[in-house]
Amino acid sequence: IAGNWKMNLTKSEATALASGLQQAASSCSDVQVAIFPPYVYLECVLAAAGSIKVGSQNVSEQPNGALTGENSTDMLLDLGASMVILGHSERRSIMGESSQVVNAKTRRCLEAGLTPVVCVGETLEEREAGNTMSVVLQQCQESLAELTQEDMAKIVIAYEPVWAIGTGKVATPEQA
């Protein structure tokens, strides 16, 4: 079970939520829980999260350099993060990230030892046009291009239908 906090919460709220989630998750030994707070709260959330995996909402495809506002895999590892969300619909649509960029970031994460959580999903228009499977398949093929079976075993694929994000509409288990 993974939760993306997006651009929400204050430092104290993030710490309290992580602590509460850690307490609740400690009684669920058969479930792996991961949380993805805003980058600025990674360190305090990691300290409060205990056994819960903590990841970043994004990472640069570059190892380092003059990239204002970006974060590298080394920075994430240095803080203690273990996972990274890649290809989230907001990054794809608002920030213009292509599946090729997602592929580069996925490779960077794998090289660094971080678990990539690669997001795929269709818009409402694509779903209503009957293109769900072709859209998701194309995103998978391009985002995961040229990865080995060994690489694929280290990746989480998250299906997130764009039409269900923040709209009050929920994908049924059959749709997912």
Side-chain angles (χ1 to χ4, degrees):
I1 299 171
N4 176 6
W5 298 1
K6 304 195 179 208
M7 195 173 70
N8 293 298
L9 305 180
T10 63
K11 182 178 179 180
S12 63
E13 291 169 337
T15 303
L17 180 55
S19 179
L21 288 170
Q22 194 283 326
Q23 289 175 1
S26 65
S27 64
C28 303
S29 60
D30 57 342
V31 176
Q32 189 175 74
V33 178
I35 52 178
F36 298 86
Y39 179 79
V40 296
Y41 302 139
L42 269 177
E43 197 162 16
C44 67
V45 168
L46 277 155
S51 62
I52 293 177
K53 291 184 178 269
V54 179
S56 177
Q57 297 174 4
N58 187 37
V59 71
S60 175
E61 67 269 25
Q62 300 301 317
N64 55 43
L67 298 165
T68 301
E70 289 293 318
N71 302 297
S72 71
T73 54
D74 285 347
M75 292 173 175
L76 298 180
L77 288 168
D78 191 42
L79 288 175
S82 59
M83 305 177 85
V84 181
I85 294 175
L86 303 172
H88 191 280
S89 63
E90 295 155 357
R91 302 282 317 171
R92 288 178 187 263
S93 65
I94 298 170
M95 307 306 225
E97 289 187 2
S98 66
S99 291
Q100 290 73 23
V101 169
V102 174
N103 179 264
K105 290 181 177 191
T106 299
R107 291 173 177 280
R108 175 71 51 209
C109 286
L110 289 169
E111 289 169 10
L114 291 163
T115 301
V117 178
V118 178
C119 300
V120 296
E122 80 286 4
T123 65
L124 183 59
E125 296 77 21
E126 291 165 334
R127 178 166 206 65
E128 290 176 345
N131 295 328
T132 295
M133 296 306 271
S134 62
V135 168
V136 171
L137 181 60
Q138 181 177 4
Q139 288 176 345
C140 284
Q141 288 173 331
E142 293 174 357
S143 297
L144 306 171
E146 299 180 21
L147 297 178
T148 66
Q149 284 184 341
E150 184 179 274
D151 291 335
M152 290 301 298
K154 299 173 186 170
I155 294 172
V156 174
I157 298 174
Y159 171 64
E160 52 141 10
V162 179
W163 52 267
I165 299 172
T167 64
K169 296 180 182 183
V170 179
T172 65
E174 294 76 23
Q175 289 170 321

